[in-house]
Amino acid sequence: MAPSAASFLVLKNIRKSYGDHAIIKGLNAEIEKGELVSFIGPSGCGKSTLLRSIAGFTKLDSGQIILDGKIVNDDVPHKRGTGMVFQNYALFPHLSVESNVGYGLKILGQSKAQIRDRVEELLGLVHLPGLGKRRIDQLSGGQQQRVALARALSLNPKILLLDEPLSNLDANLRVTMRAEIKRIQKQLGLTVIFVTHDREEAMSISSRVMIMTGGLVEQLGSPTEIYDRPATEFIAGFVGHVNPLEGNVQSVNGTQGIIRVSTQLGPLEVFSNGGDFQTGEAVKLIVRPEHITICASQSPAGCTGKAPDGNGQLVGQVIDAMYTGSIVKYNVSIGESKLIVEQYNPRECGVFSDGQRISMKISRDVHILRKGEAA
Ligand SMILES: Nc1ncnc2c1ncn2[C@@H]1O[C@H](COP(=O)(O)OP(=O)(O)OP(=O)(O)O)[C@@H](O)[C@H]1O
Ligand SMILES: [Mg+2]
C-alpha cells in the first residue's frame, strides 16, 4: 500500500540499524484513526524497535513518522501525542497508584486539584476506583496493568502504543484484559497499536493485523484477509494450521472463476478469487483443517485415496483422533499424504476412531498461491 498523507499514522520508508545490523529495512505502513492494529511476527523481527520509534524512545536512521498530518520524528516522546505501555509496565513500584498515573500531568505543571480529578477519572475508566493511595507493589498483576494503561492515557494521546502488555498475565487474565483494552479503545475512539506474540489475541481484537518479518511488513490486512487470503505460505502457517498442497494448474474456467489443479491427492477445483492464473503454472494450495468436511465413514472397494472426479472427494484413514468436545481434530492419511482435518459436528456424525476409513470433501474455498508467493 503506497503511503499517503491522508492516513492518521503514516510510516514512510522507516529504517533503523544497530551498528551494521539493519533491523527495520524501509518499512511502509498506514493506520487509520480509530483502528486497533496488532503487530505480530517472529521474535527479533523489529516489532518493539518500530513501536519505540513511533513513541520517540528510539531514533530512526531515516524515514518519516507522520501522526495526524505532522512529521513527529524530532519530537520528544511526551510531545508526540503518543502514550505507551511497556511489557514490564515500567511503573514506579514505591510510589502510589495516583502518583504513577498523575506523573506526566505533574511534569506538565498541572495543579494538584487538576491532577486529582483527572487521576480519579482515569482510575474509573480502567475500573480501579478508590485505589489511588495504594502502592504499586501492593497490587496484583492485572491491577498493575490497569494502572499502566491509565498512566499511558493520562495525556490524552492521539495513539496508544502497547508492547506485549498482557504477556506477564495468566491465560484467564489475558482474556479479561484484552477485552478491557478493546472496551477502552471503543469508549474513547482511540487509535491503538498492540504488539503481541499471541496470534489468537491479535486476530480477535484487531481491525487489522500487521505481520512483520525481517524488519518489513509481510502483510497488513483484516483478520479474515490474513487468515483466508494470506499473501504467503509463511503467513498462512503463522496464523493457523495449514495442509499445504503443491500442484499445477490444469485448466482455468474464467467465466466461473474456477481453477482445476493437479495435486498429489488428484485433481482439485478451487476458486480463483480474481487471481490471474495460467495453465501449467506451479501453485500451492493453502488447505485449512476446516476446508475439509468429513462426509461419511466408508471403505469403497479398490479405493486408491485419489480424488476421482476433481470435486474434492477423498477417501483416507484416521491415524488418530483428538476429541475436544466442540470439535474433533483428526490426523488422516491419504496414500502417502497426511492431512489435519477438523470436524465441527461430532454429535451428528459420531467420532471416527483410529484406523477407520473416512470419506472427505475439500472445499473450493481453499486459498491458492503462486509458487513464487508461496516461498
Ligand atoms: N538497543 C539495541 N541495541 C542493539 N540491538 C538491539 C537493540 N534493541 C534491539 N536490538 C536488536 O534488534 C532486533 C529487533 O529487536 P526487537 O526488540 O525490535 O524485536 P521484536 O520483534 O520486538 O522481538 P520480540 O518478539 O522478541 O520482542 C533484535 O535482533 C535485537 O537484538
Ligand atoms: Mg519486542
Side-chain angles (χ1 to χ4, degrees), residues 43-44 46-49 87 163-164 195 197:
S43 186
K47 304 179 295 292
S48 295
T49 305
Q87 184 173 345
D163 194 358
E164 304 215 33
V195 174
H197 262 108

Side-chain angles (χ1 to χ4, degrees), residues 149-171:
L149 258 179
R151 186 177 67 176
L153 292 169
S154 64
L155 301 183
N156 278 321
K158 292 178 176 167
I159 188 163
L160 180 64
L161 307 169
L162 309 172
D163 194 358
E164 304 215 33
L166 310 181
S167 59
N168 292 338
L169 307 179
D170 69 42

Side-chain angles (χ1 to χ4, degrees), residues 57-347:
F57 297 110
T58 295
K59 196 167 163 40
L60 293 180
D61 299 341
S62 62
Q64 285 180 337
I65 299 168
I66 306 167
L67 180 58
D68 201 7
K70 179 175 183 287
I71 299 173
V72 296
N73 288 46
D74 296 325
D75 292 355
V76 294
H78 66 277
K79 293 271 170 71
R80 283 193 178 206
T82 54
M84 181 143 173
V85 173
F86 299 87
Q87 184 173 345
N88 57 4
Y89 314 148
L91 295 168
F92 306 114
H94 53 287
L95 293 186
S96 67
V97 167
E98 60 189 14
S99 301
N100 270 277
V101 175
Y103 187 77
L105 303 167
K106 195 171 169 193
I107 288 189
L108 284 189
Q110 293 200 0
S111 72
K112 276 190 176 158
Q114 279 175 318
I115 296 175
R116 193 189 53 233
D117 289 351
R118 176 75 176 136
V119 166
E120 211 38 57
E121 183 189 1
L122 287 160
L123 290 181
L125 178 72
V126 299
H127 292 172
L128 284 181
L131 280 192
K133 300 287 180 222
R134 282 266 192 99
R135 279 204 331 255
I136 296 299
D137 52 14
Q138 296 169 326
L139 298 179
S140 71
Q143 289 170 328
Q144 290 183 29
Q145 180 55 258
R146 289 171 191 266
V147 174
L149 258 179
R151 186 177 67 176
L153 292 169
S154 64
L155 301 183
N156 278 321
K158 292 178 176 167
I159 188 163
L160 180 64
L161 307 169
L162 309 172
D163 194 358
E164 304 215 33
L166 310 181
S167 59
N168 292 338
L169 307 179
D170 69 42
N172 286 339
L173 204 46
R174 283 183 80 111
V175 174
T176 309
M177 283 308 295
R178 81 184 186 207
E180 279 294 274
I181 288 170
K182 186 83 191 164
R183 172 185 66 80
I184 291 168
Q185 184 245 344
K186 271 186 163 168
Q187 194 173 327
L188 302 180
L190 262 178
T191 311
V192 176
I193 298 179
F194 184 88
V195 174
T196 176
H197 262 108
D198 187 323
R199 289 130 217 210
E200 188 202 304
E201 202 163 271
M203 302 287 272
S204 62
I205 65 168
S206 312
S207 54
R208 289 191 298 161
V209 175
M210 183 167 108
I211 304 201
M212 290 179 66
T213 45
L216 287 170
V217 177
E218 194 153 326
Q219 188 169 6
L220 172 55
S222 69
T224 49
E225 279 165 357
I226 297 273
Y227 188 79
D228 294 334
R229 303 281 164 246
T232 62
E233 189 183 352
F234 168 78
I235 292 176
F238 196 71
V239 297
H241 190 83
V242 174
N243 298 295
L245 278 184
E246 309 235 353
N248 281 287
V249 176
Q250 269 185 346
S251 62
V252 179
N253 182 334
T255 6
Q256 290 187 312
I258 289 176
I259 302 174
R260 191 175 166 96
V261 179
S262 63
T263 75
Q264 73 257 33
L265 301 179
L268 293 174
E269 287 184 350
V270 301
F271 291 123
S272 65
N273 281 302
D276 181 20
F277 292 91
Q278 308 298 323
T279 305
E281 198 174 345
V283 293
K284 198 160 234 183
L285 301 181
I286 302 298
V287 182
R288 299 276 187 207
E290 65 272 20
H291 284 138
I292 308 171
T293 314
I294 299 182
C295 310
S297 168
Q298 63 172 44
S299 145
C303 179
T304 60
K306 301 272 180 193
D309 57 2
N311 66 355
Q313 293 280 2
L314 305 166
V315 173
Q317 187 166 27
V318 174
I319 303 171
D320 55 54
M322 284 158 285
Y323 178 73
T324 62
S326 57
I327 62 168
V328 189
K329 204 177 236 186
Y330 297 98
N331 281 310
V332 177
S333 68
I334 301 176
E336 297 295 301
S337 309
K338 301 235 175 341
L339 294 179
I340 291 188
V341 181
E342 284 173 1
Q343 182 195 13
Y344 293 90
N345 52 352
R347 269 173 214 87

